[in-house]
Amino acid sequence: MLDDRTTAAAWPPAYPQGYAVVDVETTGLSAHDRIVSAAVYRLDARGEVEDHWYTLVNPERDPGPVWIHGLTSDVLEGAPLFADVAAAFSERLDGRVLVAHNAYFDWTMIAREYARAERTAPVRQRLCTMALAKELALPLPNMKLESLAAHFGVRQRQAHHALDDARVLAEAFRPSLRAAAERGVRLPLLECRPLVEWSAPPTAGTPRIGRQAAYGSGGWRPARKRPACPYPNPGRYESDKPLKQGMRVAFSGDTSVERELLEDRAVEAGLHVATSVSRLTSLLVTNDPDAGTSKVLKAKSFGTPVVDEAAFTHLLRDVAPADG
């Protein structure tokens, strides 16, 4: 069993040299929601804590689900803007793998905040502890943070407080990392691609800090529903031909254009945006075709064509009309 006395030679050389365990609390889950607090635990190559950092963030709008994160308008009104803490945040992320529970969500929220502040987050890779738990086949009843914490005997003190959630995750990540090293498990690292284009939130009627909106149960999770594609599926994309209206397109991983914008453009061109990959999927768009995500793995098993974001954006310029 690997422990603190393990020699450097016994540690997998391909493993990262440092980690930033991150948790952010937000006003909601949509593309236009904002961060209200953030915490980072910096860990060394073996998962030992080096230091930690926490900040409130003024989201410049209502705080969203106060009943979850406990941060009211009054608390956040005097907090710094994200642009004011971006440099301190960057200092703690720089050169490290971002680690989070459901890391795609935390990373996309962080990437959007950096984009709004006209900065780029110094993050090149992320590791999701949910994905690592699956790689290790941990006997968890579900993928909640509390279940991962309970498995490793880590006590939660204040759930949905960014600093305590980051502490809990750091303490649960350390034994996960060591178990992976002992068993020679390849860490499920994914590329982080900063946003270069994103959609601005609507300004009309947007509540600001100090004007608490009334939220009903679940009201902070707006559903994004698009009309059904009016065209029949013409089949799979062929590399020497254009896309055709009705084709089913799925997306996986990070994109430099915000995912919703890319999906909107696909819908406007007459394509069907699919949330999963099946035998009926015409095309998978991903910038990381070697990633072990479920969509990429399914695309490989079904023989689904795969293109990157740049190629897809080029194909969108000339989508052929549907048959008949």
Side-chain angles (χ1 to χ4, degrees), residues 25-273:
E25 297 300 318
T26 66
T27 62
L29 304 178
S30 77
H32 301 315
D33 279 299
R34 306 294 300 272
I35 290 175
V36 294
S37 65
V40 181
Y41 266 73
R42 289 196 291 191
L43 311 182
D44 66 17
R46 294 169 182 255
E48 295 294 338
V49 175
E50 295 178 332
D51 58 29
H52 63 267
W53 174 81
Y54 171 74
T55 185
L56 295 175
V57 180
N58 185 333
E60 301 181 277
R61 50 153 291 175
D62 64 278
V66 173
W67 63 92
I68 293 179
H69 54 59
L71 299 174
T72 65
S73 297
D74 290 342
V75 171
L76 295 171
E77 188 167 11
L81 302 179
F82 186 85
D84 299 329
V85 301
F89 205 173
S90 293
E91 180 183 343
R92 287 153 179 86
L93 298 175
D94 193 21
R96 296 169 184 265
V97 170
L98 184 149
V99 177
H101 202 65
N102 189 7
Y104 179 76
F105 173 76
D106 289 79
W107 163 244
T108 53
M109 295 301 296
I110 291 167
R112 288 185 190 116
E113 290 287 8
Y114 270 93
R116 292 185 188 104
E118 298 183 348
R119 291 171 173 260
T120 300
V123 179
R124 298 296 172 261
Q125 289 181 307
R126 67 176 179 270
L127 188 157
C128 180
T129 46
M130 295 168 62
L132 182 56
K134 291 177 182 178
E135 289 287 337
L136 295 172
L138 299 182
L140 305 179
N142 53 54
M143 284 295 157
K144 294 180 179 179
L145 176 58
E146 62 191 55
S147 297
L148 183 66
H151 177 77
F152 289 112
V154 180
R155 180 171 168 266
Q156 286 186 292
R157 297 172 187 149
Q158 193 174 355
H160 300 296
H161 185 287
L163 184 60
D164 195 57
D165 280 354
R167 174 193 62 82
V168 168
L169 189 57
E171 292 186 17
F173 175 62
R174 186 186 309 112
S176 298
L177 178 64
R178 292 180 179 179
E182 180 186 24
R183 290 157 50 180
V185 172
R186 179 178 175 271
L187 296 181
L189 301 174
L190 292 176
E191 178 188 5
C192 287
R193 187 174 290 259
L195 287 176
V196 297
E197 186 178 354
W198 65 97
S199 56
T203 54
T206 301
R208 309 289 287 187
I209 276 287
R211 296 171 58 194
Q212 177 70 47
Y215 280 85
S217 177
W220 60 287
R221 295 188 179 196
R224 178 78 184 275
K225 291 186 178 180
R226 295 186 175 93
C229 182
Y231 309 111
N233 185 354
R236 289 185 170 179
Y237 164 72
E238 298 178 41
S239 60
D240 58 341
K241 297 180 181 179
L243 292 171
K244 182 176 287 189
Q245 289 180 327
M247 283 186 169
R248 296 175 66 94
V249 179
F251 298 87
S252 178
D254 293 1
T255 51
S256 57
V257 174
E258 191 173 66
R259 178 75 66 83
E260 285 192 5
L261 275 180
L262 209 53
E263 291 179 351
D264 285 346
R265 290 168 186 172
V267 170
E268 290 166 2
L271 303 175
H272 175 111
V273 173

